[in-house]
Amino acid sequence: MNGTGAPARFSAGLFAAALALLLADGIAVTVIAAQPSIESPMTPIKPRVADTVPSAKAPAGPTPSKASVTVGPSIAQQDNPSDLPPPRHWPAPVNDQEHRLFTLVDVLEYRPRTGGGESTNDYRWDIEGWYGGDYNRLWFKSEGQQDTAFKADYDVDFQLLYGRFIQKYYDLQIGPRVETQTFRGRNETRGLGVIGIEGLVPYNYEFESALFIDQNGAVSARLSLTKDMLLTQRLIFQTRFETNAAIQRVEEFTTGSGLNNLEFGVRLRYEIRREFAPYVGISLDKSLGETATLVRQEGGNPSQIRFVVGVRAWF
């Protein structure tokens, strides 16, 4: 009995001593209870500490004798990529400061003779463009026609406008306009001030509205709407509507008070490239009210239906 009791008492004493060390010093000991033999305690693996920064004030609660704050490598030695400045050669996330030049030849068309009388082969153009950035732009616009059966032999105007982005899809424009008309050897020219809004309205209608005041105080206005409808990726059907109105009667420019005219046209274009597209179409021009009376007095035709062929381009 003494031979078997001594080892048991020795094992129990050794287990109690190991347990006391575990509670006193906080050293992890691995005890395998399933085996009768006793193994020496395993050496604990302590985490790596990159820096130990003495704290001026020990934290509350039970702490070791030396109060310290340990900083691991994931905090002290690793940089946050979001805090790093981008390399100098990287472009800006939103490039809204670069200035660009854009020109749109929306209408450049030839109108062949359609009947007798004084009607001849005429032409028409409508060109606009801008230089600037997303917020401030310098706009230039030119519109004119040779129409021997309408208001004048030649009707040309040019605008130079400052444009300011005011809301999504809308630009406010202000500046000067010069208009000149030639009819039967007589030329009339006038200067006007312009204030208008150009942009994109719901259902993808491009609109342009402007109020004009000439040097004599005569007030007039213009509204135009265009819409592109894709039949295929290259074949596009465009509708175009334009109207003019005036408050005062200006006979030198064949303009009466009230609603002056209505223009409605349809054009079918094929984009050989996105930047270049020939088209064919039909245009209906009709003068109204006092303007129609002035056109008749000048020997013109207040209502016309013209076949057109032309090109549309941008660059």
Side-chain angles (χ1 to χ4, degrees), residues 255-286:
T255 301
S257 61
L259 193 62
N260 299 148
N261 75 302
L262 293 174
E263 177 195 345
F264 180 76
V266 293
R267 293 168 176 82
L268 183 66
R269 70 176 185 263
Y270 181 79
E271 293 186 342
I272 300 175
R273 297 181 57 185
R274 295 300 182 192
E275 301 87 351
F276 183 82
Y279 65 81
V280 295
I282 298 176
S283 176
L284 169 64
D285 299 319
K286 185 173 180 61

Side-chain angles (χ1 to χ4, degrees), residues 76-98:
Q77 297 180 351
Q78 292 185 357
D79 294 325
N80 188 353
S82 62
D83 295 336
L84 296 176
R88 294 183 179 180
H89 63 277
W90 282 18
V94 180
N95 192 5
D96 58 353
Q97 301 299 322
E98 183 178 351

